[in-house]
Amino acid sequence: MVSKVFSASPVGVGAEIIEVEADVHNGLPATVVVGLPDTAVQESRERVKSAIKNSGASYPQTRVSINLAPADVPKNGSHLDLPIALAVLIASGGIAVDTQKKLFVGELALDGSLRSVPGILSIVRLAHAKGY
């Protein structure tokens, strides 16, 4: 199943809407992140796995593909942890959430708690302007 969660990425003094898509399908257990992620976003795979497990849910033991669109916008920092975790949980059938017109942003700690992220003011301004 494929799921889509909306987030945003700070770019300069502004921000860009990012679509976080997750596809959970048969295959050897692996998590792949595509869409121009930086090192912090690549490392989110481990933070998200631990946060999901330590929150009492189960991380899929199959192949998980995560796409960050648009692919030409650089994704920097850890603010995509929460939307990645939500997209994975929705795609695997772990939770049911209406994600339309909602923007999710936040870094996850290994225990599943949420941490603040830099650039949130520009993200909130963008969300308001776009009707989220």
Side-chain angles (χ1 to χ4, degrees):
M1 181 178 162
V2 176
S3 66
K4 185 186 295 189
V5 174
F6 296 95
S7 187
S9 183
V11 178
V13 295
E16 295 267 348
I17 298 293
I18 303 296
E19 294 179 15
V20 179
E21 301 170 311
D23 182 20
V24 176
H25 52 280
N26 292 333
L28 293 174
T31 301
V32 178
V33 180
V34 297
L36 204 55
D38 74 348
T39 303
V41 177
Q42 286 290 355
E43 290 173 349
S44 72
R45 292 179 300 191
E46 297 306 317
R47 286 190 301 274
V48 167
K49 283 181 192 177
S50 292
I52 288 174
K53 289 177 183 176
N54 292 325
S55 295
S58 59
Y59 194 86
Q61 296 299 311
T62 59
R63 186 163 181 83
V64 178
S65 299
I66 299 165
N67 181 42
L68 307 174
D72 61 340
V73 174
K75 286 77 172 186
N76 303 310
S78 58
H79 56 282
L80 294 175
D81 289 1
L82 177 62
I84 289 171
L86 287 172
V88 168
L89 287 170
I90 293 167
S92 66
I95 60 171
V97 177
D98 176 19
T99 61
Q100 293 302 310
K101 292 313 233 177
K102 295 177 181 83
L103 213 62
F104 299 92
V105 179
E107 178 181 339
L108 291 174
L110 297 181
D111 65 0
S113 60
L114 197 58
R115 293 184 172 146
S116 62
V117 291
I120 197 67
L121 182 58
S122 60
I123 292 171
V124 170
R125 290 185 64 194
L126 174 68
H128 179 71
K130 297 285 186 178
Y132 284 89

